[in-house]
Amino acid sequence: DRSGNVVVGGMTATATSAGDWVVLKYSPEGEPLWAHTVAGETASNDWLYAVACDRAGNVFAAGSLQDATGNNCFAVVKLAAADGSELWRRVGARLDPAWHDDKAQDVVVDGAGNAYATGVSYNADHTLHRCMTLKLTPGGAVAWRRIIQPKGLDRYGYYLARVGSSLD
């Protein structure tokens, strides 16, 4: 972040629990500042793919979280700069309920604090893939959603993995 702190993210699991996201923030000297765990609605694996910071040091994490029906959902979570507490989360079922088993693969934040997340979305029977990109306001509202549909019967469609390194 702008203060030189380092943010890392991944997955944590134990012998008795499924994987959840874990986001950690360290000082420039490597001292732990905070750690935050994010879990989906079921005791199943949740996957974290990307983290980014805004100008204030808030952290945006993007990946997939499982919903109550067992679908992996496109998810973006905003964590507070000071302590890692969850400020808001946007999860797939509330973004695009017609498609399933989605994942946000990257997130960047612009100078105004808007987050842009992109990833892949699958239809109900997994015969088509498509790319979905969201713009989320600093307060977590969906400003817009853009979807690139596959051409014809192209099973694989489009698969965007990265947004870019910085919009600031």
Side-chain angles (χ1 to χ4, degrees):
D1 66 13
R2 288 181 164 233
S3 299
N5 298 311
V6 176
V7 176
V8 297
M11 193 171 103
T12 183
T14 67
T16 58
S17 72
D20 293 323
W21 298 4
V22 62
V23 181
L24 305 114
K25 193 171 197 179
Y26 297 99
S27 73
E29 295 77 30
E31 295 298 320
L33 298 175
W34 54 256
H36 183 79
T37 303
V38 178
E41 296 176 7
T42 62
S44 191
N45 286 333
D46 300 307
W47 302 93
L48 178 64
Y49 292 100
V51 294
C53 296
D54 65 12
R55 287 181 172 180
N58 297 307
V59 177
F60 294 78
S64 66
L65 294 172
Q66 283 222 341
D67 67 12
T69 63
N71 288 311
N72 295 310
C73 297
F74 191 105
V76 180
V77 177
K78 183 177 181 180
L79 305 173
D83 61 5
S85 60
E86 195 168 307
L87 299 173
W88 53 255
R89 75 169 61 187
R90 294 296 163 257
V91 179
R94 290 176 284 280
L95 299 174
D96 194 359
W99 288 59
H100 306 279
D101 291 330
D102 310 328
K103 57 185 170 182
Q105 294 176 270
D106 201 8
V107 63
V108 295
V109 185
D110 67 17
N114 298 298
Y116 301 82
T118 195
V120 66
S121 179
Y122 305 92
N123 68 346
D125 64 2
H126 285 242
T127 57
L128 295 173
H129 302 177
R130 65 187 182 170
C131 173
M132 182 165 60
T133 302
L134 300 175
K135 177 182 180 181
L136 300 165
T137 67
V142 177
W144 52 256
R145 175 180 59 216
R146 300 294 180 262
I147 296 172
I148 300 172
Q149 296 284 2
K151 296 178 181 179
L153 298 176
D154 178 5
R155 175 177 169 74
Y156 298 101
Y158 297 90
Y159 200 91
L160 293 183
R162 304 292 302 175
V163 177
S165 59
S166 176
L167 295 175
D168 190 8

